[in-house]
Amino acid sequence: MSRKISPLALGGASLGGVYHPVPQAQADAVVAAALDAGVNLIDVAPYYGLTKAETALGVALRGVPRDAYGLMTKIGRYGDKAWDFSREATLRSLDDSRARLGVEFIDVLQCHDIEHGDRRQLVDEALPTLRALKAQGAIGQVGITGYDLALLEEIAVAEQVDTVMAYCTYTLQDQRLGEVAQRLAAHGITVFNASPLGMGLLTAGGPPDWHPGHESVHAAAAEAARRCTELGADLSFVALQFALQTADEAGIASTVIGMSKPENLRQNLKALTTPIDPAVLAVVQAALAPVRDLGWDVLPGNGGKAGA
Ligand SMILES: NC(=O)c1ccc[n+]([C@@H]2O[C@H](COP(=O)([O-])OP(=O)(O)OC[C@H]3O[C@@H](n4cnc5c(N)ncnc54)[C@H](OP(=O)(O)O)[C@@H]3O)[C@@H](O)[C@H]2O)c1
């Protein structure tokens, strides 16, 4: 992307009703507030709410000058267990996304959750198709997303992609993306940290029912939230202070946060600059220490269901 990316990006999964239903007026309000506040990068996917998020975002972006924001969407994932990295599906998906979003140009088109799709199709069909679209000027950059950091790194370097988005792996609970991001950044690859709240894990309300983490991870996060409340602090705020304020040194270009409520956006923007209270951070880190870096690839929970 030619523009300077904002350190906080708006994640579109929430707009698809992944966490709770979101009326269009609320989607309009959060998108407008984000753009007003200087957030200039939005991530979405056909999978979020099975096209609902792209449709809602398209409505919210009507009339906004196209150069006011960078737009990232995805190809390849079309249902809870539906991946298709074929050339035909990739081209069709891009056309459908453009129509829903009401734009011609997609700044970053990403292969969604690469660890679940067919690797041969990914490498022989989806990625060459995206590279050709980039050469034609239909998209700006080629990206991959997912949870499996080793696979993301291997494919990113071998296929010389422009961007990598990993999720739930640079949070107060799991920081495994940190060293991977530094290596990727050294290759000139732009790294996005998605789900810095661990898909709702590090919030006072706790994760949604479908969250794939182990119950011991959920219990530790609930304890961290309780201790924060005792100290008059908010776990989400501390979690975002950590993710946003240490992103640079970790090699992360932008942190992609799901927000459907303007008040959450306002709070999260404050977390960019409010100095971390070391006493609160220490208490949260102590509560999370027993489950540090225990992602669901290490310690599966909830039937191992895949997330956003
Ligand atoms: N494989 C992939 O490509 C992949 C995977 C995961 C995520 N992503 C991207 O990353 C984005 C972020 O991930 P995510 O949305 O799943 O998870 P997240 O950002 O970790 O958490 C989002 C949840 O946290 C809530 N929240 C946000 N700010 C809050 C605050 N200040 N206080 C309390 N709760 C707050 C949101 O609530 P409200 O909605 O009610 O505001 C939402 O329920 C996604 O939207 C998507 O764009 C990509």
Side-chain angles (χ1 to χ4, degrees), residues 30-251:
V30 80
V31 170
L35 296 172
D36 271 359
V39 172
N40 66 4
L41 189 59
I42 305 175
D43 177 66
V44 70
Y47 171 58
Y48 299 153
L50 301 177
T51 73
K52 260 194 222 146
E54 283 192 334
T55 302
L57 186 58
V59 173
L61 287 171
R62 266 185 213 151
V64 178
R66 184 62 190 85
D67 60 1
Y69 59 91
L71 192 52
M72 314 199 276
T73 191
K74 311 191 183 83
I75 57 96
R77 185 168 190 183
Y78 306 108
D80 284 345
K81 295 201 187 317
W83 280 268
D84 186 346
F85 287 121
S86 66
R87 178 181 147 76
E88 292 69 30
T90 300
L91 291 172
R92 194 171 50 240
S93 183
L94 172 61
D95 278 347
D96 292 348
S97 289
R98 284 198 287 220
R100 284 189 289 266
L101 291 162
V103 299
E104 278 300 309
F105 182 75
I106 300 293
D107 295 84
V108 186
L109 192 55
Q110 308 161 100
C111 300
H112 198 167
D113 288 344
I114 60 167
E115 64 268 28
H116 295 292
D118 179 287
R119 182 170 173 156
R120 188 206 57 76
Q121 240 187 10
L122 173 75
V123 169
D124 292 350
E125 298 195 43
L127 285 168
T129 304
L130 296 194
R131 284 193 284 264
L133 287 164
K134 180 181 166 183
Q136 292 157 20
I139 66 170
Q141 298 197 336
V142 174
I144 54 175
T145 82
Y147 185 68
D148 180 335
L149 293 172
L151 183 69
L152 285 170
E153 185 173 9
E154 184 191 334
I155 298 279
V157 173
E159 297 295 321
Q160 299 184 340
V161 302
D162 301 307
T163 71
V164 169
M165 179 179 295
Y167 68 104
C168 293
T169 44
Y170 194 72
T171 73
L172 272 178
Q173 184 260 323
D174 188 338
Q175 283 149 45
R176 292 175 292 167
L177 174 61
E179 59 179 51
V180 177
Q182 281 174 359
R183 288 197 294 270
L184 289 171
H187 281 279
I189 295 167
T190 302
V191 180
F192 299 109
N193 172 32
S195 310
L197 296 171
M199 298 192 303
L201 175 73
L202 301 173
T203 62
D209 293 346
W210 50 259
H211 193 278
H214 191 265
E215 61 190 29
S216 60
V217 177
H218 293 178
E223 179 59 15
R226 195 186 62 72
R227 290 194 204 172
C228 272
T229 307
E230 265 175 17
L231 294 170
D234 172 52
L235 178 59
S236 311
F237 195 70
V238 185
L240 290 176
Q241 283 177 303
F242 166 79
L244 291 164
Q245 294 181 26
T246 64
D248 235 10
E249 70 201 59

